[in-house]
Amino acid sequence: MPNAAPQPADLVHAMPDPALVVDAQGVVRLANEQAVELLEADPAGRHLSATLRAPDVLEAVTATASGAGSASVDYEIRVPVPRAFRAHVSCLGDGKGALITLRDLTREQQIERMRADFVANASHELRTPLTALSGFLETIQGPAKSDPKAQDKFLGLMKSQAERMRRLIDDLLSLSRIEMNEHVRPSGEVDLNQVSAHVRDVLLGLAREFECKLTLESDGPVVVTGSRDELVQVLQNLAENALKYGSTGKLVEIILRRNGEWAELSVRDHGPGIAEQHIPRLTERFYRVNVQDSRSRGGTGLGLAIVKHIINRHRGRLVITSELGKGSTFMMRLPVKAT
Ligand code: ADP
């Protein structure tokens, strides 16, 4: 027996996006599962205006039903959460109503906004030291032209601004390289105990500058799958932050533990801590609790964004806990390498 031909309703149900069929009077005749889920009720049998609060879409449906060609209309909903959609309205034939398909644009728009924000932020961050550099140059060429002592001072300031630009560009490049490879899991074998000892040794000088003790507590080797250089970068960023922002606590601890199938590498400081509302945003690019404070300590606002991307690439997690007045702990959890 030949297979039965698909019915129009089957086609609507098979569509991947929310889809509705309305008759010439604007009453919904059919809605696929995605549309029912989106509208949080089956709209079949009700007038479109009762289920879709988007006057522009209703207008397009009326126009299409009375002979205008198909149309695309963007609209937004505010509740329960803000979302953006594109409704495509196509005529089903003279007097037969219209097919409405809905495409969720929320994620696309968010990404677009993030990209625009990122470019604006990066440009602003680069322009600040550049403006300072131009100012110092003008001073050297003008008021300080024949004052070698002042020139020396301004050249020193220029050097530190140029270094800040270099750090920023290095961090931007690091971030873009890691993001590009985020979906590829690194395959090396890394002992976090060695990584910890290496970072502690590298940062002992900085700890001395901050008059802060830097300790390492570890039960021994803990091997994970990963990139050594990147994991060194994670720990170094976290420990540098702990020294930069938490050195008033006089002690920064690197602690490595194995907890079942997880390796837990923490950096704990006993500094001022971070207010709760900032914690979920710390890994956003350029987010700082205090912009001036970060800049004066040579921060770029990208350190924790880099940390998060590296940890994601390693299929791990970053757990941040903090208490105002007591200090903060940044813990990286990575799956232990199966033996
Ligand atoms: P930055 O280059 O500004 O240090 P990060 O991305 O490394 O950028 O950190 C973002 C912000 O998180 C910092 O500006 C600082 O406000 C806050 N922060 C990070 N680590 C600590 C810490 N250990 N104690 C207090 N605040 C911290």
Side-chain angles (χ1 to χ4, degrees):
M1 212 175 85
N3 289 338
Q7 297 298 302
D10 296 334
L11 300 181
V12 174
H13 285 297
M15 290 172 76
D17 287 329
L20 307 156
V21 174
V22 293
D23 65 18
Q25 282 68 47
V27 176
V28 180
R29 288 290 160 212
L30 187 64
N32 68 3
E33 213 177 294
Q34 289 83 332
V36 173
E37 198 179 314
L38 173 69
L39 300 168
E40 293 179 342
D42 189 349
R46 294 161 70 194
H47 195 270
L48 187 62
S49 57
T51 73
L52 202 69
R53 309 216 177 275
D56 291 350
V57 180
L58 300 177
E59 242 172 62
V61 171
T62 314
T64 303
S66 55
S70 53
S72 283
V73 180
D74 289 353
Y75 72 97
E76 287 177 12
I77 56 170
R78 300 255 149 252
V79 280
V81 280
R83 286 168 80 180
F85 293 93
R86 173 161 303 154
H88 188 80
V89 185
S90 348
C91 182
L92 292 174
D94 209 12
K96 290 187 186 148
L99 170 71
I100 306 168
T101 50
L102 303 173
R103 195 154 69 84
D104 193 340
L105 301 178
T106 318
R107 179 92 191 114
E108 246 171 70
Q109 289 188 353
Q110 257 170 4
I111 291 172
E112 194 42 53
R113 214 169 299 133
M114 273 165 62
R115 199 177 6 233
D117 281 356
F118 176 65
V119 172
N121 282 331
S123 314
H124 175 75
E125 292 293 333
L126 281 168
R127 196 165 43 200
T128 314
L130 195 58
T131 309
L133 271 174
S134 311
F136 294 142
L137 261 178
E138 275 169 27
T139 314
I140 289 177
Q141 285 176 326
K145 203 168 181 172
S146 37
D147 181 349
K149 232 171 134 189
Q151 280 180 2
D152 250 15
K153 180 180 140 204
F154 286 112
L155 285 171
L157 291 170
M158 285 171 74
K159 186 164 176 241
S160 76
Q161 294 299 325
E163 271 163 10
R164 184 168 151 203
M165 289 181 84
R166 188 188 46 75
R167 266 198 311 273
L168 194 61
I169 289 166
D170 284 350
D171 278 358
L172 283 168
L173 289 175
S174 251
L175 194 57
S176 110
R177 204 181 41 240
I178 296 156
E179 269 186 330
M180 225 145 30
N181 292 324
E182 193 160 325
H183 56 285
V184 191
R185 194 176 175 181
S187 57
E189 206 172 87
V190 187
D191 175 8
L192 291 179
N193 193 39
Q194 282 178 5
V195 168
S196 307
H198 170 74
V199 171
R200 194 251 339 250
D201 292 348
V202 168
L203 292 183
L204 277 176
L206 187 69
R208 220 169 293 126
E209 269 177 45
F210 281 109
E211 296 176 359
C212 186
K213 212 166 142 194
L214 177 64
T215 61
L216 168 59
E217 204 182 305
S218 161
D219 298 337
V222 183
V223 178
V224 296
T225 304
S227 145
R228 183 179 186 276
D229 286 352
E230 290 187 6
L231 294 175
V232 164
Q233 195 175 0
V234 166
L235 187 59
Q236 194 158 329
N237 282 0
L238 295 179
E240 271 177 11
N241 275 353
L243 291 169
K244 276 194 304 195
Y245 302 106
S247 61
T248 48
K250 298 286 166 214
L251 172 65
V252 167
E253 300 159 275
I254 300 174
I255 304 158
L256 175 63
R257 296 256 175 274
R258 184 178 168 150
N259 183 357
E261 290 318 297
W262 293 91
E264 296 180 341
L265 181 54
S266 310
V267 176
R268 180 150 89 199
D269 70 62
H270 302 268
I274 306 162
E276 207 181 322
Q277 72 270 24
H278 296 296
I279 291 179
R281 301 200 57 192
L282 291 179
T283 55
E284 286 175 23
R285 299 155 184 192
F286 298 117
Y287 188 85
R288 288 109 146 186
V289 174
N290 179 329
V291 177
Q292 275 322 316
D293 183 41
S294 153
R295 287 209 181 126
S296 68
R297 292 164 200 269
T300 60
L302 293 173
L304 290 177
I306 292 173
V307 162
K308 188 187 91 177
H309 282 290
I310 294 179
I311 296 180
N312 282 351
R313 182 161 132 73
H314 284 78
R315 310 290 186 266
R317 278 191 64 203
L318 175 68
V319 184
I320 307 173
T321 44
S322 190
E323 204 178 326
L324 279 178
K326 296 226 163 127
S328 312
T329 303
F330 288 72
M331 178 170 76
M332 167 172 74
R333 296 188 86 216
L334 292 183
V336 171
K337 184 174 166 51
T339 43

